[in-house]
Structures are given as C-alpha cells and as structure tokens.
Amino acid sequence: DAGVIQSPRHEVTEMGQEVTLRCKPISGHDYLFWYRQTMMRGLELLIYFNNNVPIDDSGMPEDRFSAKMPNASFSTLKIQPSEPRDSAVYFCASSLTAGGDTQYFGPGTRLTVL
Amino acid sequence: QKEVEQDPGPLSVPEGAIVSLNCTYSNSAFQYFMWYRQYSRKGPELLMYTYSSGNKEDGRFTAQVDKSSKYISLFIRDSQPSDSATYLCAMRYAGGTSYGKLTFGQGTILTVHP
C-alpha cells in the first residue's frame, strides 16, 4: 500500500487566496484525521471523520476552514480566505478504527501564506 | 495550561546513552498513551502504545505510565544516531463521542551524535 497520500507537498500563496489541501487515506481505513503542526502550538487535531461523516470539528480554528470527505478515498481541507497565521504543516492521517489502531500519517503539506 | 506538557528540548546525547523523555498531563480521563516518532520533514509514526498504568518494552524502547502522577516516560537504551528525531507523546480518552481524538505534547527534539 502506498500509505496516506497528500497533495500538494508544498503550497505558497498570498493572503486572501483560497487554499485546498487534498488527502487520500489508506484503503479500508474508516477514520480520517486532519492535523496542523506549528512550532508554537505543536500538533493539533482539526477535524476527524468516520465513514465520511465528520465526528469532531472542535479543533477547526474558525469559519475560514472547512473540510469535506465526499467518499472513502478522498478528503479536502479548504482555507478561504487564507491568512499568514495559517502557515503550518498540515497532516492527514487515517486508521482502521478510532480506538486501539495506529493512526498512519501522510507526509504533510507545508503551507506558506505570504 | 495545556492538557499535555512536554519539554521541547532540544536534547543532545552521545551514541550509546540512555535517553529519558517525559510528558505530564492534567486530564485524568486519558486512558491510552502513545509515543510517536517524527523524522525531519516527515509525518509522525507510532512507536509505542500503552493502556493505563505500567511498563511496556519493545527492543531498546520502554514506555512507562504512572497514572497516579499523571506522568508518562519513554526510555531509549543504547541510543543510535538513527534515533535522532522529534518524539511526541499522545493520549486519548477511553470512550465518549471524541474518543478517537489524540492530544499531543509539543514534542522533544532528540539528537544522538556519534
């Protein structure tokens, strides 16, 4: 298996622009997680899905952030409009269950908002 | 106050040293405890997983959980340069609507020099 796939790997954009990050989880995994990592705040859970349904979005910072999972093999995280403070590495992870199973992380998308 | 506190280091040790990494937490509802390892510009990967209190050993790695003190540790014996990475503790609840949510520490940057 190729593991969790994220695209793009790097994104540089200007403040005010829309940014869309993409994730393909490991086939057969029922749970998908979106995280954000910064030096100041560490690794934070933004939202997670079970069988394509959002379960907990309490970590989504504000209305500028939205996430969708239209099917079991694809999810997007959108930021509109983007701001410099959104600059971070965004990780997608997937797992078989939410419980005892390992969360497998993708390589991340490094976002820079100028 | 953060739910999970971890000294970010950095920690630099000579090859062969015993390394001790620690986290404290404030929420007694956490029941599952994990250590993730993150190499530079990569996603985190699960290293150790323990439930409740006690020790768990896997090769050169030992994870300890002391729930009475709300304190977890990771020990690395005979450290190698390949152990150089950021180590993140993580924990989650045993149940509830958000039991899939992992709460991470800040991560400790470890360098093992030859």
Side-chain angles (χ1 to χ4, degrees):
Chain A
D1 199 318
V4 175
I5 299 172
Q6 291 187 248
S7 65
R9 293 293 309 277
H10 302 273
E11 176 81 27
V12 180
T13 190
E14 293 189 346
M15 182 173 64
Q17 296 298 305
E18 178 179 293
V19 175
T20 299
L21 311 181
R22 297 172 176 80
C23 175
K24 176 179 168 56
I26 293 173
S27 177
H29 282 190
D30 291 336
Y31 286 81
L32 184 139
F33 306 82
W34 281 103
Y35 290 90
R36 177 173 67 176
Q37 188 174 39
T38 62
M39 288 294 292
M40 288 293 293
R41 300 175 66 91
L43 191 62
E44 302 173 288
L45 178 67
L46 300 177
I47 185 171
Y48 78 92
F49 295 83
N50 175 24
N51 291 323
N52 314 336
V53 176
I55 301 300
D56 185 340
D57 65 354
S58 59
M60 295 286 263
E62 49 197 271
D63 292 345
R64 298 185 298 106
F65 285 70
S66 62
K68 294 182 180 179
M69 192 164 185
N71 57 63
S73 59
F74 183 67
S75 177
T76 60
L77 178 67
K78 188 174 293 187
I79 308 172
Q80 166 63 17
S82 58
E83 296 182 4
R85 59 192 169 118
D86 302 328
S87 297
V89 181
Y90 291 80
F91 289 102
C92 176
S94 70
S95 67
L96 277 170
T97 70
D101 290 290
T102 303
Q103 289 189 20
Y104 293 88
F105 282 76
T109 295
R110 186 172 296 271
L111 174 65
T112 302
V113 183
L114 303 174
Chain B
Q1 182 189 3
K2 292 182 180 178
E3 279 191 295
V4 181
E5 298 278 358
Q6 183 177 7
D7 186 342
L11 189 61
S12 181
V13 301
E15 183 175 355
I18 296 175
V19 176
S20 173
L21 306 168
N22 311 293
C23 287
T24 58
Y25 61 96
S26 56
N27 192 338
S28 59
F30 287 131
Q31 296 288 330
Y32 293 87
F33 304 92
M34 286 138 273
W35 287 93
Y36 278 78
R37 178 175 61 194
Q38 184 177 21
Y39 290 115
S40 181
R41 297 190 176 264
K42 301 285 187 182
E45 57 180 350
L46 183 67
L47 190 61
M48 297 284 285
Y49 180 99
T50 54
Y51 170 70
S52 197
S53 288
N55 293 1
K56 184 174 182 179
E57 190 172 319
D58 184 2
R60 297 184 295 110
F61 299 89
T62 299
Q64 285 186 351
V65 175
D66 182 349
K67 291 189 67 183
S68 62
S69 302
K70 297 190 180 66
Y71 188 86
I72 69 171
S73 301
L74 177 70
F75 297 95
I76 307 174
R77 292 182 299 280
D78 188 24
S79 57
Q80 302 295 309
S82 58
D83 295 328
S84 298
T86 297
Y87 290 80
L88 302 119
C89 63
M91 40 200 84
R92 68 170 184 85
Y93 308 118
T97 55
S98 294
Y99 93 114
K101 176 180 178 178
L102 291 182
T103 301
F104 283 86
Q106 278 288 99
T108 300
I109 300 170
L110 171 67
T111 301
V112 181
H113 51 87

